[in-house]
Amino acid sequence: MEFYDSLQEYALNNENYKKWREIHGKAFGKVFLSAFEELPDAQIHLTAALIRISKRDFNGGLEKLLELEQICFHDFDWFALSYFLGLCYEFLENEEKMNKYYEQMTEYDEEGLFLIAFHPFYRTAKFAQRKAENEKALRYYHKALSLYSENESDPEKLANMGQICVDLGTVYFSCQKYEKARVFLEKSVQYSPAVNPQRNYVTALLLAVEGKREESAKLVAGLPDFLKTACEQVLASL
C-alpha cells in the first residue's frame, strides 16, 4: 500500500496535521483518536482520508479508507474503520454498503461515542424524514437506537438515545400513530430529561390531538419563537 501522498501532504506540515487531528478528534472522539494506535503512518492516512471527506471529496476519502483494510490488526482498528467506511458510504447515499459496514462494526466488542450528526444511520433517517419517506426514516432511526443497551448509563449516550427517540416520536406523529409517538416521547424523557424544544413541539401537538388544549398551550408558550409560530400554525389546522 502506498502511504507516500498522505505522509508528504500532512506529516511534513506538522502544525496542519495537528490541527486536523484536533478537529477530527473533537468530532469523532475515541473512535478516531485510538484507531491504529500502533501504526502512526496509518493514523496519518486515516486523517488524510477524513480531511478529504470533510472537504466533501467522498470518493477520494473512500479510496483512502479502503486501503486501510489491508493493515487492520486489532479489533478496535476494524471497528473504527468499519464506522468510517459506513459513514462515508452514508454520505454517498449508498445504503447497501452503508449497512454492510455499520453492521460489520457491531460484530466487534468495542464501543465508540458518536456525535448525533455523525451517528450511524442517523443522516439517512433524517433525510428520509425530510422527504416524508416515513417508513424508511423509522427503519433507520430504529437501527440507530438498536446500537444502545436499554441499561445504558453514559450521559452522552443517553442524550443520543433521547434525541433518536424524539425523532421516532416525530415520525410516528406524522404517520398519525399517536400511541407510538407518545411511547417514544416518554422514552426520550427517561433517557434525557433536559429540555428538548423539538420534543416539546411534538408533545404540544400530541396533547392537542388528545384534546388537552390547555396543557398544549403551556408547552407552546415556552417554545423558541420559530417553533412557536410553526406549532401555532399546525394547531390552527387541527
Side-chain angles (χ1 to χ4, degrees):
M1 177 172 29
E2 180 58 68
F3 283 116
Y4 179 71
D5 58 340
S6 299
L7 294 169
Q8 182 182 55
E9 187 174 357
Y10 298 109
L12 297 181
N13 187 346
N14 196 41
E15 289 307 312
N16 189 45
Y17 177 67
K18 286 181 179 178
K19 179 194 76 173
W20 280 109
R21 289 290 295 181
E22 183 179 355
I23 289 170
H24 291 122
K26 288 179 179 177
F28 301 111
K30 177 184 175 183
V31 73
F32 169 69
L33 294 172
S34 296
F36 302 103
E37 283 187 317
E38 298 176 9
L39 295 168
D41 289 356
Q43 286 188 331
I44 292 169
H45 197 75
L46 175 60
T47 304
L50 296 187
I51 290 169
R52 290 195 177 188
I53 292 169
S54 297
K55 294 179 177 180
R56 303 191 66 79
D57 177 10
F58 301 131
N59 285 307
L62 177 62
E63 182 181 355
K64 283 187 171 295
L65 288 174
L66 287 169
E67 290 177 356
L68 287 168
E69 287 187 311
Q70 302 175 49
I71 57 166
C72 281
F73 299 119
H74 302 293
D75 280 359
F76 192 84
D77 297 342
W78 278 114
F79 169 81
L81 183 57
S82 297
Y83 165 69
F84 287 118
L85 281 166
L87 184 65
C88 192
Y89 278 117
E90 189 160 16
F91 286 137
L92 287 165
E93 299 183 30
N94 184 328
E95 290 182 46
E96 181 181 357
K97 291 290 184 67
M98 173 195 74
N99 279 294
K100 171 188 172 182
Y101 282 102
Y102 281 155
E103 287 166 10
Q104 179 174 294
M105 178 188 77
T106 65
E107 295 173 5
Y108 302 99
D109 188 21
E110 302 288 347
E111 288 190 1
L113 177 65
F114 309 108
L115 287 183
I116 198 71
F118 305 118
H119 196 289
F121 305 114
Y122 191 81
R123 177 185 175 89
T124 301
K126 183 62 73 176
F127 274 92
Q129 180 183 349
R130 290 173 182 170
K131 296 175 184 176
E133 297 173 353
N134 291 328
E135 292 304 315
K136 179 177 177 179
L138 289 171
R139 182 168 71 254
Y140 283 112
Y141 281 135
H142 277 294
K143 279 178 171 281
L145 191 60
S146 72
L147 297 176
Y148 297 97
S149 164
E150 284 287 334
N151 300 318
E152 185 57 65
S153 59
D154 182 280
E156 293 180 88
K157 291 182 180 179
L158 286 169
N160 280 351
M161 294 169 73
Q163 181 56 51
I164 295 167
C165 284
V166 170
D167 291 308
L168 280 165
T170 303
V171 179
Y172 277 122
F173 181 87
S174 296
C175 295
Q176 298 184 346
K177 296 181 179 180
Y178 300 129
E179 289 186 13
K180 284 195 171 183
R182 170 67 69 185
V183 166
F184 282 100
L185 292 172
E186 290 177 352
K187 278 189 175 184
S188 172
V189 175
Q190 293 171 13
Y191 293 140
S192 183
V195 174
N196 184 311
Q198 180 190 346
R199 181 172 62 214
N200 287 349
Y201 170 88
V202 182
T203 302
L205 296 177
L206 185 59
L207 286 168
V209 167
E210 294 170 344
K212 302 172 183 176
R213 288 279 179 169
E214 288 187 12
E215 292 180 51
S216 174
K218 289 178 182 177
L219 276 181
V220 173
L223 291 173
D225 288 342
F226 74 99
L227 279 181
K228 184 188 297 185
T229 300
C231 194
E232 287 172 343
Q233 290 173 348
V234 176
L235 288 171
S237 68
L238 293 177

